[in-house]
Amino acid sequence: MTTISHVAPQDAALPKVKVDVLPLLLVPLLALLMLPLVGSFPTWVTLTIAGLAMGMMVFMMASGLTLIFGLMDVLNFGHGAFVSVGAFTATLVLLPMKSWVEADSVLMNLSVLGLAILLAMLVTGLLGWAFERIIIRPVYGLHLKQILITMGGMIVAEQLIHVIWGAEQIPLQLPTTFRGAFIVGDAALEKYRLIAVGVGLTVFITMFLVLNRTKVGLLIRAGVENGEMVEALGYRIRRLFVGVFMAGSALAGLGGVMWGLYKETLTAAIGGEITVLVFIVIIIGGLGSVGGCFIGAMLVALVANYAGFLAPKVALVSDILLMVTVLLWRPQGLYPVAKR
Amino acid sequence: MIRTLFSGDLPRSRLLSAMLLAVLVGLALAPFLFHGARSLNVAATICVFVVLVASYDLLLGYTGIVSFAHTMFYGIGAYGVGLALHGMGPSWWAILVGTAGALAVSLVLALIIGLFSLRVRAIFYAMITLAVAAAFAVVASQLSDLTGGEDGRTFKVPELLQPGFHLIDGEILGRAIDGKLITYYLVFFSALALFLLMLRIVNSPFGRVLQAIRENDFRAEALGYRTVIYRTLANCLGALIATLAGVLMALWLRYVGPKTMLSFEVMTDILLIVVIGGMGTIYGAVIGSALFILAQNYLQVLMAQASASLSGVPLLANLFHPDRWLLWLGVLFVLSVYFFPTGIVGRLRSKALARRAP
């Protein structure tokens, strides 16, 4: 027996993973391309920021969904329900603490917003746990039933919101210091949009770090690639499922709070309406890919904003057109996940 | 004779046969049995929904495709006829042109969506149809010059179908033979014919292949059936029949609008009916539609009473508020997906089967 001679030396670097940069370039390319079309620079800045803000909020809602799909092969058509529940839970904080919302102090405003987000994420996270247990667990691996059952869950959740919070629209007030806009040069940058961009970036970076720098992240990524193998190595993938489902639901709740404040009125249908956009985003990004989902969200939101300014009629179908274009280029989405 | 008419697929359960017969007789004699505009409207809606839901069952129950674009095709049919009658005036030609145009548009759309996304997995198709249908609804309500926007369009139907028209003087069984009655029977017999046609389709060799694809598409492919083509065909058939259902609805209501024809609520209604009635049975569409539409129209009255009697209790009163009837149906829907996935019809059939062979 000879020893295996071609073992790599201990300190040799692993072969570099090839980074697919083309999709990364899409967002800046699109923004630059639109600059001459829009014409005026300040308008372009405003539009771009608005697009980025919207994209960040959509990303928050979509990232959980795509991760859940990637890991568990479950597409939750009821994901929108978490968005609605998150937004409505926030009213439990924002309405009674009206004085803090109306106070002209950044600190008070921030803390009340933070509290609302925390509560919303907690509630939607717990709801996600219950949802996974009651609704989804019996139908793992059965796609048809999954679609039906999560759709049913969505209907029930929407109706329950009506039962608890009533059927009327709830007006939501933006905290005082977040209203208005900064004027930089001639461009108006709405403060709340900047906050949304900030929160969204934080979520993205945190997610990126967790997925790429921690053991849990490693397991999740391994689970996306090949769940059975992870199980064979002795990890309880079921716990991972539950954890990811809760985190994804909580993120949807966070997105719901931000989105609700952005719209400034709440209806129970808020989640259902955004679901379509979320689906388009994760299809564009490649089902299961968080990075693709981020780029997809930015693209969809930017295109919607530019189209809304340049050709309002086209804006109605801009999402679909974008999706078709992307799918013609890459039929599996921007970043196809290996096993699908 | 009856066997041929039902394409050899009889109800196979005494209770089910009785229920079907009750629905059939009720619908056939609705104008004479029940008086008042509302009950006739309920009966016509049931007829249209039987066709619409059965055509959806063709996709969901028989082929295993989840589509959320079924209301889109329904809406295309309704808008096709509606806009043709609105633009060309009340003539039979307009109906013909509108129907043909709508069928053509539906067919092309169904083909494109199908070929584009049916190659991949069921989930993908569900998401794409959801997105396309949503976009279509928005476009239809925004192109207000053409479609009348949110308000929709009212239009006149040919003279024979107008409520003011009287075929003969006097009454038969206490009912004037007017245009409304003629329209009702036009809807009823078209629905009946389409229903029997669908029963024929699912019991043909073609229908068997669809079921094979539903059970195991890999194996069906291995047996030499081009699953993509069969799926696309089923999709187109479902779309065309849904379009015809839309045509009937538009003729009955003499109105088209996004709320009644294109909204997502119609889609959830279809889903609820198909699952509660029984997937993959076609008969489920009849039982489901009848129960659902009746519940939609009359359950709310009951719930209002329950709510009123509970008005002291804060949350319970809300639970039984008449507008919350969808909550209870949603719960029923979730439970039926778990516990009796073949719905009412499947349940009755398996019971009958168990009794026959103890």
Side-chain angles (χ1 to χ4, degrees), chain B residues 6-355:
Chain B
F6 282 3
S7 315
D9 184 15
L10 296 169
R12 295 203 300 273
S13 154
R14 229 173 260 158
L15 189 55
L16 179 61
S17 308
M19 284 165 84
L20 285 170
L21 205 65
V23 174
L24 180 71
V25 171
L27 288 179
L29 301 177
F32 303 104
L33 288 177
F34 317 105
H35 289 275
R38 180 165 181 199
S39 51
L40 197 60
N41 196 26
V42 169
T45 314
I46 293 177
C47 290
V48 172
F49 262 76
V50 166
V51 175
L52 184 61
V53 172
S55 68
Y56 191 68
D57 196 22
L58 206 62
L59 294 182
L60 180 66
Y62 279 90
T63 325
I65 303 172
V66 185
S67 158
F68 288 107
H70 220 61
T71 37
M72 179 174 82
F73 298 119
Y74 177 63
I76 288 175
Y79 269 98
V81 165
L83 298 184
L85 281 170
H86 184 81
M88 297 166 62
S91 67
W92 291 100
W93 266 114
I95 295 184
L96 204 67
V97 169
T99 311
L103 285 174
V105 171
S106 286
L107 185 64
V108 170
L109 265 177
L111 259 181
I112 294 177
I113 302 177
L115 287 178
F116 197 65
S117 52
L118 274 178
R119 309 178 156 276
V120 275
R121 312 176 340 138
I123 272 178
F124 208 66
Y125 185 72
M127 292 163 77
I128 299 241
T129 48
L130 189 66
V132 171
F136 188 86
V138 173
V139 169
S141 63
Q142 290 293 322
L143 294 177
S144 44
D145 298 339
L146 181 66
T147 61
E150 289 291 336
D151 298 333
R153 286 251 190 263
T154 50
F155 49 85
K156 280 197 163 136
V157 288
E159 204 200 342
L160 184 65
L161 304 179
Q162 282 172 15
F165 175 81
H166 287 266
L167 190 66
I168 48 170
D169 290 329
E171 297 179 339
I172 294 179
L173 297 169
R175 180 97 205 179
I177 307 301
D178 57 3
K180 203 74 190 163
L181 192 84
I182 299 172
T183 317
Y184 178 75
Y185 278 110
L186 177 73
V187 170
F188 173 75
F189 283 111
S190 311
L192 189 66
L194 284 171
F195 176 78
L196 291 175
L197 173 72
M198 276 182 279
L199 211 53
R200 179 70 261 175
I201 291 173
V202 296
N203 288 296
S204 66
F206 173 74
R208 287 281 175 273
V209 178
L210 295 187
Q211 290 173 55
I213 292 173
R214 173 194 68 191
E215 292 303 326
N216 190 335
D217 60 340
F218 191 63
R219 195 174 289 175
E221 183 103 49
L223 286 172
Y225 295 106
R226 301 276 302 272
T227 50
V228 178
I229 293 187
Y230 277 90
R231 278 198 177 123
T232 313
L233 269 178
N235 193 33
C236 291
L237 270 174
L240 289 180
I241 296 172
T243 310
L244 289 176
V247 168
L248 293 179
M249 198 62 185
L251 284 179
W252 172 253
L253 290 177
R254 286 172 283 136
Y255 162 81
V256 284
K259 189 95 185 100
T260 39
M261 307 297 182
L262 287 170
S263 71
F264 195 68
E265 276 98 74
V266 182
M267 194 65 239
T268 40
D269 288 356
I270 298 177
L271 256 182
L272 291 174
I273 296 175
V274 124
V275 170
I276 294 173
M279 281 188 279
T281 56
I282 293 288
Y283 288 115
V286 182
I287 305 292
S289 305
L291 288 178
F292 187 88
I293 308 281
L294 284 176
Q296 191 171 29
N297 283 281
Y298 300 106
L299 181 72
Q300 296 186 2
V301 182
L302 279 178
M303 286 181 68
Q305 285 168 1
S307 181
S309 62
L310 283 168
S311 58
V313 199
L315 212 58
L316 274 183
N318 266 347
L319 272 179
F320 288 101
H321 189 277
D323 286 349
R324 294 290 82 75
W325 69 288
L326 205 57
L327 171 69
W328 298 105
L329 280 172
V331 172
L332 186 63
F333 173 83
V334 172
L335 291 179
S336 61
V337 174
Y338 283 139
F339 298 114
F340 48 117
T342 45
I344 298 174
V345 170
R347 195 80 183 170
L348 288 175
R349 276 182 169 175
S350 55
K351 260 194 186 152
L353 202 67
R355 199 178 313 140

Side-chain angles (χ1 to χ4, degrees), chain A residues 274-294:
Chain A
I274 201 76
T275 305
V276 174
L277 203 59
V278 165
F279 279 166
I280 292 177
V281 162
I282 68 173
I283 290 176
I284 288 179
L287 291 170
S289 155
V290 175
C293 170
F294 186 73

Side-chain angles (χ1 to χ4, degrees), chain A residues 158-209:
Chain A
E158 213 168 80
Q159 294 295 321
L160 280 178
I161 287 176
H162 280 310
V163 170
I164 298 171
W165 278 281
E168 282 82 38
Q169 286 193 353
I170 299 180
L172 262 191
Q173 205 178 2
L174 261 182
T176 315
T177 48
F178 302 161
R179 267 180 263 163
F182 295 117
I183 309 288
V184 181
D186 286 331
L189 307 177
E190 271 190 43
K191 288 178 195 168
Y192 186 68
R193 286 180 177 157
L194 293 177
I195 293 174
V197 171
V199 174
L201 272 180
T202 317
V203 169
F204 179 64
I205 293 170
T206 316
M207 222 164 151
F208 189 80
L209 288 178

Side-chain angles (χ1 to χ4, degrees), chain A residues 17-76:
Chain A
V17 180
K18 237 172 108 184
V19 180
D20 188 4
V21 286
L22 268 176
L24 291 176
L25 295 175
L26 274 181
V27 176
L29 215 66
L30 174 79
L32 282 180
L33 225 95
M34 286 297 152
L35 181 54
L37 283 176
V38 172
S40 93
F41 184 70
T43 319
W44 178 80
V45 171
T46 309
L47 281 176
T48 308
I49 294 290
L52 288 180
M54 184 179 159
M56 291 294 177
M57 287 186 264
V58 174
F59 168 71
M60 290 174 218
M61 298 180 244
S63 56
L65 189 62
T66 201
L67 203 58
I68 291 168
F69 180 81
L71 186 64
M72 303 149 83
D73 201 18
V74 168
L75 190 66
N76 184 3

Side-chain angles (χ1 to χ4, degrees), chain A residues 65-134:
Chain A
L65 189 62
T66 201
L67 203 58
I68 291 168
F69 180 81
L71 186 64
M72 303 149 83
D73 201 18
V74 168
L75 190 66
N76 184 3
F77 274 75
H79 198 69
F82 297 114
V83 174
S84 309
V85 170
F88 273 86
T89 312
T91 63
L92 294 180
V93 174
L94 293 177
L95 295 183
M97 297 179 76
K98 216 173 172 62
S99 57
W100 285 45
V101 174
E102 283 167 353
D104 193 17
S105 123
V106 181
L107 197 68
M108 273 169 133
N109 288 169
L110 261 185
S111 52
V112 77
L113 182 64
L115 205 62
I117 286 176
L118 210 67
L119 184 72
M121 288 180 78
L122 204 71
V123 169
T124 46
L126 283 177
L127 194 71
W129 177 76
F131 203 81
E132 198 270 347
R133 260 216 121 87
I134 301 169

